[in-house]
Amino acid sequence: MTEDAIIEAHDLGVRFAKGRRRNARLREVFTRRNRSTTAAPAPEFWPLRHLSFEIQPGEAVGVIGSNGTGKSTLLRLLAGVLIPDEGQVIRRGRVAPLIALSAGFSGDLTGRENVQLVASLHGMDRKTLKSKFDEIVAFAEVEDHIDTPVRHYSSGMKVRLGFSVISQLEHPILLVDEALAVGDKRFKKKCYKTMRNLLNEGRTLILVSHSERDLTKFCTRGMFLNAGELEVDGTVDDALAAYQLSEDQKVPA
Ligand SMILES: Nc1ncnc2c1ncn2[C@@H]1O[C@H](COP(=O)(O)OP(=O)(O)OP(=O)(O)O)[C@@H](O)[C@H]1O
């Protein structure tokens, strides 16, 4: 164990029930309350288990693996929005989650209100938000719609605004889940530039991506997740090669 690691994962594991969302919506908790006592328990599985690693401040780690191997689950564990069933995550710094960017917005609130809500939920104080607000709106290119309810936004507008707010947080840990894959080419370029600036400032990045280009562009270390286990923790090239090999083995000759 290194004392100055910004993230430590110790024998991390999470268990889900098959075919059932673990985070049931509040309404479902009430409407299914009585039924659940009679229903047979759903079979459980471990999308991730026995994961241990350390990440040092300023590292840029790319997480790679095929669909359903637990990459997003790992990010949610690192973000602290999912509690592990086994093991422990230690974070020595706050997290700016560039994950499911538009999901945090409330459709009935305007863009302005959503920015205020999301920024304050992530601990940005009023004064800082006031000074950054115009920049956030301009970066997202939603100046003309900032007082329109977000339910009228296109998915691209929501993602742009989400990226714009979260990337203005001054938290040292950045979690990114394919956020860069959305949006048009021009916006993607702006996101790349922001990410590069944040990395140059010394932020720590954990990036989940299927894009070899993004992984090699930003990351200095690669983790290959296979069937819920950390199979390779090395260079980006090592992780990509192991991923490629496992994909090739799946294709019938
Ligand atoms: N809340 C949940 N409840 C139950 N099962 C879940 C939940 N979230 C994810 N899963 C399941 O856990 C496994 C890992 O999912 P996860 O989204 O972490 O994979 P991933 O590697 O990010 O996949 P992709 O590349 O397709 O985004 C999958 O089988 C998924 O269906």
Side-chain angles (χ1 to χ4, degrees), residues 16-17 20-22 45 47 66-73 210:
F16 287 148
R20 191 179 290 173
R21 303 305 294 173
R22 171 155 149 177
F45 72 109
S66 41
N67 293 133
T69 41
K71 303 180 298 297
S72 307
T73 303
H210 289 282

Side-chain angles (χ1 to χ4, degrees), residues 36-215:
S36 63
T37 50
T38 51
E44 293 176 334
F45 72 109
W46 295 82
L48 289 176
R49 207 165 189 190
H50 304 311
L51 250 68
S52 295
F53 55 84
E54 287 182 0
I55 297 176
Q56 304 303 320
E59 272 195 293
V61 183
V63 181
I64 184 168
S66 41
N67 293 133
T69 41
K71 303 180 298 297
S72 307
T73 303
L74 176 60
L75 282 198
R76 291 169 62 212
L77 287 167
L78 297 182
V81 294
L82 189 65
I83 308 297
D85 293 293
E86 284 180 352
Q88 189 190 12
V89 177
I90 299 170
R91 279 174 301 270
R92 297 194 177 88
R94 297 192 70 173
V95 169
L98 287 154
I99 334 180
L101 284 169
S102 50
F105 288 143
S106 168
D108 289 335
L109 301 181
T110 64
R112 182 186 302 276
E113 290 162 340
N114 270 297
V115 168
Q116 286 160 348
L117 186 68
V118 170
S120 74
L121 281 176
H122 286 286
M124 192 188 284
D125 63 69
R126 282 171 147 219
K127 204 172 144 212
T128 310
L129 176 60
K130 207 171 167 209
S131 69
K132 293 189 171 187
F133 187 80
D134 290 346
E135 199 185 327
I136 290 172
V137 177
F139 185 91
E141 302 170 17
V142 293
E143 293 95 327
D144 295 341
H145 305 277
I146 196 63
D147 290 309
T148 304
V150 154
R151 79 179 109 88
H152 298 304
Y153 280 26
S154 69
S155 54
M157 286 161 77
K158 282 189 265 186
V159 168
R160 294 205 303 267
L161 194 55
F163 183 95
S164 195
V165 184
I166 303 292
S167 62
Q168 285 286 352
L169 297 171
E170 282 162 11
H171 303 341
I173 305 170
L174 275 178
L175 301 182
V176 183
D177 191 359
E178 303 282 11
L180 303 179
V182 279
D184 58 30
K185 224 173 172 182
R186 201 176 48 84
F187 188 72
K188 219 188 265 185
K189 243 183 163 174
K190 281 181 22 176
C191 293
Y192 283 151
K193 203 169 158 205
T194 303
M195 295 265 301
R196 177 55 59 207
N197 290 340
L198 294 172
L199 280 175
N200 289 345
E201 284 171 13
R203 312 277 183 118
T204 306
L205 168 74
I206 295 101
L207 167 70
V208 165
S209 180
H210 289 282
S211 158
E212 192 171 328
R213 190 165 167 260
D214 289 356
L215 289 161

